[in-house]
Amino acid sequence: MKIYEQKVAPNARRVRMFLAEKALLDEVKFVEQDLQAGDNITPDFRQKNPLGKIPVLELDDGTYLSESMAICRYFEVLNPEPNLMGVTALEQAMIEMWQRRCEIYFMNQVGMGFQHTSGFFADRMTPVKEWGEECVKNAGKFMGLLNKHLAESEYVAGERFTVADITAFVTIDFARVIRMRIPEEMTNLKAWYERINSRDSAKV
Amino acid sequence: MKIYEQKVAPNARRVRMFLAEKALLDEVKFVEQDLQAGDNITPDFRQKNPLGKIPVLELDDGTYLSESMAICRYFEVLNPEPNLMGVTALEQAMIEMWQRRCEIYFMNQVGMGFQHTSGFFADRMTPVKEWGEECVKNAGKFMGLLNKHLAESEYVAGERFTVADITAFVTIDFARVIRMRIPEEMTNLKAWYERINSRDSAKV
């Protein structure tokens, strides 16, 4: 199997961290793409993913799979232990709820905040600075919500580490691109961050 | 069980359509919320979902579950037939990939296009018209991608109806709010739309 990715990209890191938790990193060959050079928007790459996004998983039979959470689900179903996406119906749903909250209201806000305020991909999208500034504010608000939530929950989606922690953790590191750090007063969020950061999977 | 929703909202319709396909609509009591009046952003509602979004599922024990796809997954795991989210690892992943593509690059674009060009929720967000116009363009582009894809696939995620069709179908109807219809020349997309529209679940 191969994964086309850019090592520094947050979605790529989510998938690597997921694979590391499942001790599956060695099963995959990683193929580095240069996003700024446009490797991911060539006609050849769009055969792999018409949306031109990384990461893309290539199975040994040539099947391509994209969207980070779809890739994670593929590995989760084939390798259920350690479980990262829930077992019972309610647990699966609660983890998906928190994963989506972290993705939609945090990760995507940081991503758009970065792209729209920096013009990083101005060759392929129209940056709208005012929108980027809104996104940065939204991301800051979500940090506050997460800090409050973590007062009563050891991990993002309950009492154990799950894929929801991966999304939140990767986003906090990624938020450096918009110069956003966890504020000192958000002590629950800081303690949780250190808990996740001490895992081996945080290094990949 | 109860679902707090606004009947006309696209995310609410996704969940109802999913429940209709599983013949579970009668198991749930629907509680209508007036989003324009702000029913969903009161302190009371934020106890149900701190993000203030609908739909929210309330289980009989008082547990709240939000995020449409998390709610759908809850019902899918408890009621696996008819299957709407995949069986094998690869099928689950492919359906999730297409569901996410339809959600991120289509549904969310239509939603932001509407909110940012109309100022519909200007009391609780900052509409950025230029960004809304970009989103409308993005939604139109995705229609083209979907039309091309449906030349070789009877349904969005393969040869049978799945949750990915629900997201795409609901979005096309929702796109009327930005006066977007399927262009006449997109014959694959039109034929697929009629196929989905003839299902009983399309009426709920």
Side-chain angles (χ1 to χ4, degrees):
Chain A
M1 285 179 290
K2 289 181 194 170
I3 288 181
Y4 299 86
E5 62 154 21
Q6 185 172 47
K7 201 169 181 350
V8 297
N11 274 315
R13 190 180 177 203
R14 284 207 287 171
V15 171
R16 283 200 314 277
M17 199 167 164
F18 191 93
L19 290 172
E21 288 282 342
K22 289 190 180 279
L24 292 171
L25 268 184
D26 292 342
E27 311 276 313
V28 178
K29 188 188 161 199
F30 291 89
V31 186
E32 181 76 3
Q33 307 290 301
D34 185 342
L35 266 54
Q36 271 196 284
D39 286 357
N40 57 318
I41 51 172
T42 61
D44 179 58
F45 193 88
R46 287 193 194 274
Q47 296 291 317
K48 300 177 175 67
N49 179 4
L51 277 314
K53 303 282 179 183
I54 57 102
V56 174
L57 171 66
E58 182 180 339
L59 301 179
D60 291 338
D61 71 356
T63 302
Y64 294 112
L65 195 55
S66 53
E67 296 300 325
S68 305
M69 282 302 110
I71 295 172
C72 289
R73 191 167 303 278
Y74 176 77
F75 287 111
E76 175 85 357
V77 177
L78 288 180
N79 310 272
E81 296 296 334
N83 179 284
L84 296 173
M85 292 177 131
V87 178
T88 67
L90 184 60
E91 198 198 15
Q92 286 193 49
M94 281 290 175
I95 293 168
E96 180 143 4
M97 175 180 81
W98 275 106
Q99 197 292 122
R100 285 182 158 266
R101 284 176 173 173
C102 292
E103 193 176 78
I104 298 168
Y105 303 105
F106 194 27
M107 186 176 200
N108 293 356
Q109 303 301 316
V110 172
M112 290 189 289
F114 170 58
Q115 293 180 3
H116 285 273
T117 58
S118 71
F120 195 77
F121 287 129
D123 61 329
R124 65 198 76 168
M125 59 172 277
T126 308
V128 180
K129 199 154 188 266
E130 193 187 347
W131 169 242
E133 287 161 359
E134 280 302 309
C135 293
V136 170
K137 276 186 225 163
N138 293 340
K141 269 187 222 163
F142 190 85
M143 266 198 187
L145 186 148
L146 206 50
N147 181 58
K148 205 174 149 191
H149 170 65
L150 288 165
E152 46 197 53
S153 184
E154 199 178 356
Y155 293 93
V156 171
E159 296 314 305
R160 66 181 182 89
F161 178 88
T162 70
V163 69
D165 295 287
I166 293 180
T167 297
F169 176 78
V170 166
T171 302
I172 285 177
D173 278 353
F174 177 45
R176 288 174 195 158
V177 297
I178 52 170
R179 290 167 300 283
M180 186 179 281
R181 297 284 200 288
I182 303 173
E184 283 303 320
E185 65 272 22
M186 291 195 187
T187 51
N188 306 317
L189 188 57
K190 278 186 99 77
W192 164 86
Y193 179 88
E194 290 312 323
R195 217 149 48 231
I196 308 302
N197 197 36
S198 69
R199 301 176 80 88
D200 288 343
S201 66
K203 277 107 204 151
V204 300
Chain B
M1 285 178 288
K2 290 180 194 171
I3 287 181
Y4 299 85
E5 62 154 20
Q6 185 173 48
K7 201 169 182 348
V8 298
N11 274 314
R13 191 179 176 204
R14 286 206 287 172
V15 171
R16 284 201 312 278
M17 199 166 164
F18 191 93
L19 290 173
E21 289 283 341
K22 289 190 179 278
L24 292 171
L25 268 185
D26 292 343
E27 311 276 312
V28 178
K29 188 188 161 199
F30 291 90
V31 186
E32 181 76 3
Q33 306 290 300
D34 184 342
L35 265 56
Q36 270 196 285
D39 286 358
N40 58 316
I41 51 172
T42 62
D44 179 58
F45 193 88
R46 287 193 194 272
Q47 295 291 317
K48 300 177 174 66
N49 180 2
L51 277 315
K53 303 282 178 182
I54 58 101
V56 174
L57 171 66
E58 181 180 338
L59 301 180
D60 290 338
D61 71 356
T63 302
Y64 295 112
L65 195 54
S66 52
E67 295 300 325
S68 305
M69 282 303 109
I71 295 172
C72 288
R73 190 167 304 277
Y74 176 76
F75 287 111
E76 176 86 356
V77 178
L78 289 180
N79 310 271
E81 295 297 333
N83 180 285
L84 295 173
M85 293 177 131
V87 178
T88 66
L90 184 59
E91 198 197 16
Q92 286 193 51
M94 282 291 176
I95 293 169
E96 181 143 3
M97 175 181 80
W98 275 106
Q99 197 293 121
R100 284 181 160 266
R101 285 175 173 175
C102 293
E103 194 176 77
I104 298 168
Y105 303 104
F106 194 27
M107 186 177 202
N108 292 357
Q109 302 301 316
V110 172
M112 288 190 290
F114 171 58
Q115 293 179 3
H116 285 272
T117 59
S118 71
F120 195 78
F121 287 129
D123 61 329
R124 66 198 74 168
M125 59 172 276
T126 308
V128 180
K129 199 153 188 270
E130 192 187 348
W131 169 241
E133 287 160 359
E134 280 302 307
C135 293
V136 170
K137 276 186 226 163
N138 293 340
K141 267 186 225 165
F142 190 83
M143 266 198 187
L145 186 147
L146 206 49
N147 180 59
K148 204 173 150 192
H149 171 63
L150 288 166
E152 45 198 53
S153 184
E154 199 177 357
Y155 292 93
V156 170
E159 295 314 304
R160 66 181 181 88
F161 179 88
T162 70
V163 69
D165 295 287
I166 293 180
T167 298
F169 176 78
V170 166
T171 303
I172 285 178
D173 278 352
F174 176 45
R176 289 175 195 158
V177 297
I178 52 170
R179 290 166 300 282
M180 186 179 281
R181 298 282 200 289
I182 303 173
E184 283 304 320
E185 65 272 21
M186 291 195 189
T187 51
N188 306 317
L189 189 57
K190 279 184 99 77
W192 165 86
Y193 179 88
E194 290 311 325
R195 216 147 52 231
I196 309 301
N197 197 34
S198 68
R199 300 176 80 89
D200 288 343
S201 66
K203 277 106 203 153
V204 300

